[in-house]
Amino acid sequence: MRDTPEQDVIVVGAGIVGLAHALAAARRGRRVVVIDRDAQANGASIRNFGFVTVTGQERGRVWERARRSSEIWREIAGPAGIRIEQEGLLLLARRPEAAAVLDAFLATEMGGQCERLTPAQVRSHCPAARSVAAGLRSPHDLRVESRTAIPLLAAWLAAEHGVSFRRGVSVRHVEPGRLHCSDGEYRAETIFLCPGDDGGALYPALFAQEGITRCKLQMLRLAAPGWTLPFPVMSDLSMVRYLGYAALPEARALHLRLRAEQGEEMAQGIHLIAVQGADGSLIVGDSHDYAQTPDPFGSEAVDAMILREYEAVLGPAPAVIERWTGTYASASSHSIVRDVAAGVRLIVVTSGTGASTAFALAEDVVGEVLDSERKPACTQA
Ligand SMILES: Cc1cc2nc3c(=O)[nH]c(=O)nc-3n(C[C@H](O)[C@H](O)[C@H](O)COP(=O)(O)OP(=O)(O)OC[C@H]3O[C@@H](n4cnc5c(N)ncnc54)[C@H](O)[C@@H]3O)c2cc1C
């Protein structure tokens, strides 16, 4: 048996959702153990754009959580040695219907501090941009390189917050206060399960009941284009996917036009996110294919459509230098938070927004659970 002191917290999953819970628990003085079956980070959290998207998130609580999460990223990035690669967002409206969505968005509380750009202003920020009807520049968003940021975050949690990691350990069965794992039993008063889209292996009935499926995305890295992309870029197709725009009444006309003009892209859930890393290379995506068990194969036709969208927005595409797919848990809600046994809470982000919202979600979840418990005898800053 792996005995951990009674007051300790166990987090299962070392993706961004698990690490965010570890941080929130450690900040409340708890000693935290993180268990992950993989030897190193390999899930959605290192396959993503690292785009901490505030602008365009669903209005209300999700948008507020994204704002709070971006604050936490900014706060911990320096101490954890994580480089913020880009700050802000440039949303490019190619069609008049998209410009109308952009204007409607700017009129909401979410448009605060965002700036409307004329086509000339867009080109002054981003000379590569093709013809646009209007642009929006937001200061709220940021981007990290997830494949290095997630390991750096874990290393900082260990060094600064005393979080210990048990990697290569698989959780097989959960009971109140107890985990049956591949290398024995672990105990703690409080357990947060953050298994991402693999949670269905532990809780198949709950996943079925909540309608949680998987979403597969195709991603590309393009060689450095020889110019700087000042901000992450999104475009018209993004405005019918991201609920902060898509739920506005003005999005209806854009939706109809895109269905008529880009029906194939819409069917594949394609929209454009283009971000740039320190070496100048661009990460470009993505597509959305929903299935309980998506196939593992990247479709060349889908990649070609993503590249066509890139070229329509940013001009000739540099060579593709890397391709990968990733999956995340998907349902109609932002996230599922359930008590699955006494002292055991399951947390799954089901909207493909973990990098953008997990820190604030974890603050809420951990605060609710731990603040109602007695304080531990032994605390840690
Ligand atoms: C291609 C792609 C692009 C994306 N782009 C963005 C983006 O730009 N911005 C954004 O906000 N979001 C983005 N997302 C979504 C975001 O990446 C996810 O919402 C987030 O990473 C989910 O984090 P997680 O910790 O739940 O899952 P994961 O990162 O998958 O981590 C779950 C961990 O749990 C472990 N685990 C599971 N079961 C067990 C078990 N039984 N025992 C032990 N360990 C277990 C796994 O090994 C894994 O390490 C993207 C996702 C993908 C796939």
Side-chain angles (χ1 to χ4, degrees):
M1 182 189 302
R2 308 271 165 172
D3 237 346
T4 50
E6 204 185 321
Q7 66 270 20
D8 276 0
V9 167
I10 299 177
V11 176
V12 176
I16 187 61
V17 177
L19 296 181
H21 281 75
L23 173 64
R27 281 180 162 179
R28 281 182 157 72
R30 302 315 201 262
R31 288 181 294 177
V32 182
V33 175
V34 177
I35 296 175
D36 199 292
R37 64 170 182 211
D38 279 327
Q40 59 178 36
N42 189 40
S45 302
I46 59 145
R47 296 175 188 227
N48 61 28
F49 295 93
F51 184 24
V52 179
T53 319
V54 176
T55 316
Q57 295 292 358
E58 184 178 5
R59 197 170 192 169
R61 201 170 185 202
V62 176
W63 181 77
E64 281 157 17
R65 280 184 169 153
R67 284 208 66 169
R68 173 67 189 138
S69 297
S70 71
E71 274 174 22
I72 297 176
W73 273 109
R74 287 188 172 93
E75 189 183 305
I76 64 164
I82 297 169
R83 197 179 121 98
I84 294 183
E85 305 284 344
Q86 289 172 295
E87 294 250 23
L89 161 75
L90 184 59
L91 178 64
L92 299 179
R94 292 167 51 213
R95 298 169 174 84
E97 291 85 348
V101 175
L102 195 149
D103 286 332
F105 178 84
L106 282 164
T108 70
E109 73 288 356
M110 301 179 289
Q113 295 175 273
C114 297
E115 185 190 353
R116 190 188 202 280
L117 304 176
T118 62
Q121 287 170 321
V122 166
R123 271 190 300 279
S124 77
H125 282 297
C126 181
R130 289 282 163 115
S131 74
V132 289
L136 177 151
R137 196 174 76 80
S138 167
H140 302 305
D141 320 75
L142 65 96
R143 181 188 174 249
V144 297
E145 189 73 67
S146 291
R147 59 183 75 180
T148 52
I150 294 296
L152 283 167
L153 177 55
W156 175 72
L157 285 169
E160 286 302 310
H161 290 279
V163 173
S164 59
F165 286 82
R166 309 282 162 85
R167 296 195 184 265
V169 175
S170 190
V171 175
R172 292 174 173 161
H173 182 65
V174 181
E175 286 176 19
R178 187 183 297 226
L179 296 173
H180 299 270
C181 297
S182 50
D183 69 343
E185 203 174 275
Y186 290 73
R187 286 182 180 192
E189 192 176 326
T190 304
I191 299 172
F192 297 109
L193 301 174
C194 309
D197 59 343
D198 284 330
L202 288 169
Y203 294 100
L206 190 148
F207 265 51
Q209 185 192 321
E210 297 289 347
I212 304 176
T213 186
R214 281 194 169 92
C215 178
K216 175 183 111 180
L217 295 83
Q218 291 188 204
M219 303 281 284
L220 303 163
R221 188 184 285 270
L222 310 185
W227 40 259
T228 301
L229 189 67
F231 316 103
V233 163
M234 298 171 98
S235 73
D236 294 13
L237 285 164
S238 312
M239 292 188 224
V240 293
R241 284 202 66 84
Y242 277 63
L243 291 175
Y245 316 115
L248 297 169
E250 290 76 5
R252 179 82 192 131
L254 177 62
H255 197 275
L256 289 173
R257 182 156 176 196
L258 287 172
R259 269 225 319 250
E261 293 177 359
Q262 293 196 275
E264 271 190 72
E265 283 84 350
M266 298 277 281
Q268 298 294 336
I270 287 171
H271 77 122
L272 182 73
I273 296 180
V275 298
Q276 191 168 43
D279 64 357
S281 67
L282 301 166
I283 295 182
V284 173
D286 53 15
S287 57
H288 296 81
D289 174 17
Y290 300 88
Q292 205 62 43
T293 305
D295 71 49
F297 310 113
S299 153
E300 190 55 36
V302 167
D303 282 355
M305 276 188 261
I306 295 172
L307 288 170
R308 269 208 305 277
E309 183 63 14
Y310 170 94
E311 294 199 332
V313 176
L314 290 169
V320 177
I321 54 175
E322 205 172 50
R323 296 171 199 262
W324 67 99
T325 63
T327 60
Y328 62 69
S330 174
S332 55
S333 55
H334 166 264
S335 46
I336 307 284
V337 179
R338 293 284 178 277
D339 288 327
V340 289
V344 185
R345 199 165 270 206
L346 172 73
I347 306 101
V348 185
V349 172
T350 48
S351 49
T353 63
S356 310
T357 58
F359 280 129
L361 173 66
E363 275 189 344
D364 291 349
V365 170
V366 171
E368 195 184 308
V369 172
L370 294 187
D371 292 353
S372 64
E373 276 180 6
R374 66 185 170 80
K375 291 279 179 282
C378 155
T379 59
Q380 189 175 348

